[in-house]
Amino acid sequence: MRCPIPVLFSGLMLISNMAHADDLRERANAIFKPIPAKVTEVRGHAVNNDQAKLGHKLWFDPRLSSSHIISCNSCHNLSIGGSDNVPTSIGHGWQKGPRNSPTVLNAVFNAAQFWDGRAKDLQEQAKGPVQASVEMNSTPERVVATLKSIPEYAAEFKKAFPNDKDPVSFDNMAYALEAFEVSLTTPDSPFDRYLKGEDKALDAKQKEGLALFMDVGCIACHNGVNIGGQSYFPFGVIKKPGADILPAGDKGRFTVTNTADDEYVFRAAPLRNVALTQPYFHSGEVWELEQAVAIMGDSQLGRTLKDNEVTAIAAFLRSLTGKQPEVAYPVLPASSADTPKPE
């Protein structure tokens, strides 16, 4: 018995669509990777739960700052995507920082930390803001004195670092913060589910945007598990943006390497949860995701993206929002009479 022509045609279309979907997913899986459900090691070492619990408290403790006002969470708010949603962060004495605060979510997957990559890992990164005069404005000596003055912290450091003769140290503070930050991942985004085979996790517009993201060349800078964060590129490969977006005074990685080729070179921004982390770019001067997409097409690819292409790519980028970490606000140990007073 022969099938009616419409039924046969419908069946062929279904097979064709399935093949197309599988092809798109296969291409995507060759370039990107899903975020794992849990990170169990960092820098070759298993994550220490006692250190992570200690780091959880330190993350929210404003006494790491000399003013007793600013904590890690002030500029990397875990309730709003791991950044602070302002152009540049406000630090000690109401000073404005020089760059937009990058998200800490999934930062464990980056090749290096900060926009210029000056910290090789999260442990090294954790020391920077604490000491920066424009941020927390403290010193290693003051931090150690503060932590040692609080008996509960002294006991927790001893438990977390049992092999150290003097467990309360600036290095160990950073290790504990790193152990906590490793947990700040966002798995199970629609895009992750699509990569794993759930075809309906992305709608038609998002799939169109994914195809465009790969075809127009965005993947040259934004690839891997964090959709970026792995390499350094000039901002303005084809055409430099205006000074409002690319301030002339911020020469990016040049300040780290002092190499002329690194002028206005920055680490490619990781795009996980990018819909939550506006404003965009190191200058924090662009608030709309669609505008950021259009600027990158023009500056990095030398291509004026059509409105429908911008809309599709932005739709795909919104599929990168994963399950946000649910972090309880900890009850912090009380200061003692010996705790340094705020400045």
mmCIF file of all heavy atoms in Angstrom, residues 43 132 214 218-219 238 248 253 266 316 325:
data_model
loop_
_atom_site.group_PDB
_atom_site.id
_atom_site.type_symbol
_atom_site.label_atom_id
_atom_site.label_comp_id
_atom_site.label_asym_id
_atom_site.label_seq_id
_atom_site.Cartn_x
_atom_site.Cartn_y
_atom_site.Cartn_z
ATOM 1 N N ARG A 43 43.039 23.115 40.193
ATOM 2 C CA ARG A 43 44.499 23.088 40.053
ATOM 3 C C ARG A 43 45.083 21.739 40.470
ATOM 4 O O ARG A 43 46.132 21.660 41.100
ATOM 5 C CB ARG A 43 45.137 24.231 40.852
ATOM 6 C CG ARG A 43 44.806 25.605 40.296
ATOM 7 C CD ARG A 43 45.517 26.752 40.970
ATOM 8 N NE ARG A 43 45.016 26.990 42.304
ATOM 9 C CZ ARG A 43 45.697 26.725 43.407
ATOM 10 N NH1 ARG A 43 46.906 26.205 43.347
ATOM 11 N NH2 ARG A 43 45.184 26.981 44.592
ATOM 12 N N ALA A 132 43.741 46.229 46.980
ATOM 13 C CA ALA A 132 43.631 47.385 46.089
ATOM 14 C C ALA A 132 43.058 48.588 46.839
ATOM 15 O O ALA A 132 42.008 48.500 47.477
ATOM 16 C CB ALA A 132 42.754 47.036 44.893
ATOM 17 N N MET A 214 28.210 30.636 15.279
ATOM 18 C CA MET A 214 29.307 29.828 14.748
ATOM 19 C C MET A 214 29.726 30.286 13.360
ATOM 20 O O MET A 214 30.920 30.388 13.058
ATOM 21 C CB MET A 214 28.891 28.347 14.727
ATOM 22 C CG MET A 214 28.671 27.754 16.116
ATOM 23 S SD MET A 214 28.408 25.945 16.120
ATOM 24 C CE MET A 214 26.764 25.844 15.428
ATOM 25 N N CYS A 218 32.042 34.326 15.690
ATOM 26 C CA CYS A 218 32.106 34.642 17.121
ATOM 27 C C CYS A 218 32.915 33.597 17.890
ATOM 28 O O CYS A 218 33.551 33.902 18.905
ATOM 29 C CB CYS A 218 30.703 34.723 17.709
ATOM 30 S SG CYS A 218 29.610 35.917 16.906
ATOM 31 N N ILE A 219 32.896 32.373 17.386
ATOM 32 C CA ILE A 219 33.556 31.267 18.088
ATOM 33 C C ILE A 219 35.076 31.362 18.059
ATOM 34 O O ILE A 219 35.753 30.626 18.794
ATOM 35 C CB ILE A 219 33.124 29.909 17.493
ATOM 36 C CG1 ILE A 219 33.407 29.870 15.980
ATOM 37 C CG2 ILE A 219 31.663 29.635 17.801
ATOM 38 C CD1 ILE A 219 33.141 28.529 15.339
ATOM 39 N N ILE A 238 39.094 44.637 13.790
ATOM 40 C CA ILE A 238 38.868 45.266 12.486
ATOM 41 C C ILE A 238 38.759 46.783 12.614
ATOM 42 O O ILE A 238 39.392 47.530 11.868
ATOM 43 C CB ILE A 238 37.582 44.713 11.833
ATOM 44 C CG1 ILE A 238 37.647 43.184 11.742
ATOM 45 C CG2 ILE A 238 37.385 45.335 10.454
ATOM 46 C CD1 ILE A 238 38.795 42.648 10.916
ATOM 47 N N ALA A 248 40.796 55.422 25.978
ATOM 48 C CA ALA A 248 42.189 55.450 25.508
ATOM 49 C C ALA A 248 43.185 55.184 26.631
ATOM 50 O O ALA A 248 44.272 54.649 26.410
ATOM 51 C CB ALA A 248 42.477 56.801 24.854
ATOM 52 N N ARG A 253 45.910 44.479 28.552
ATOM 53 C CA ARG A 253 46.972 43.558 28.946
ATOM 54 C C ARG A 253 48.360 44.191 28.851
ATOM 55 O O ARG A 253 49.315 43.674 29.437
ATOM 56 C CB ARG A 253 46.887 42.296 28.089
ATOM 57 C CG ARG A 253 47.758 41.160 28.611
ATOM 58 C CD ARG A 253 47.285 39.803 28.148
ATOM 59 N NE ARG A 253 48.247 38.763 28.444
ATOM 60 C CZ ARG A 253 48.461 38.243 29.650
ATOM 61 N NH1 ARG A 253 47.755 38.676 30.682
ATOM 62 N NH2 ARG A 253 49.350 37.294 29.838
ATOM 63 N N PHE A 266 42.447 42.373 25.593
ATOM 64 C CA PHE A 266 41.744 41.935 26.787
ATOM 65 C C PHE A 266 41.406 40.451 26.661
ATOM 66 O O PHE A 266 41.353 39.907 25.558
ATOM 67 C CB PHE A 266 40.448 42.732 26.985
ATOM 68 C CG PHE A 266 40.674 44.197 27.213
ATOM 69 C CD1 PHE A 266 40.779 45.074 26.138
ATOM 70 C CD2 PHE A 266 40.802 44.695 28.500
ATOM 71 C CE1 PHE A 266 40.990 46.429 26.339
ATOM 72 C CE2 PHE A 266 41.017 46.057 28.710
ATOM 73 C CZ PHE A 266 41.111 46.924 27.635
ATOM 74 N N PHE A 316 20.159 33.469 21.353
ATOM 75 C CA PHE A 316 21.029 32.342 21.706
ATOM 76 C C PHE A 316 21.787 32.634 22.988
ATOM 77 O O PHE A 316 21.874 31.779 23.886
ATOM 78 C CB PHE A 316 22.008 32.048 20.569
ATOM 79 C CG PHE A 316 23.204 31.253 21.012
ATOM 80 C CD1 PHE A 316 23.067 29.965 21.487
ATOM 81 C CD2 PHE A 316 24.480 31.820 20.988
ATOM 82 C CE1 PHE A 316 24.169 29.236 21.927
ATOM 83 C CE2 PHE A 316 25.578 31.099 21.424
ATOM 84 C CZ PHE A 316 25.426 29.802 21.895
ATOM 85 N N PRO A 325 23.645 29.450 41.571
ATOM 86 C CA PRO A 325 23.962 28.831 42.863
ATOM 87 C C PRO A 325 23.130 29.441 43.982
ATOM 88 O O PRO A 325 22.965 30.659 44.058
ATOM 89 C CB PRO A 325 25.455 29.154 43.050
ATOM 90 C CG PRO A 325 25.706 30.345 42.181
ATOM 91 C CD PRO A 325 24.769 30.219 41.019
#
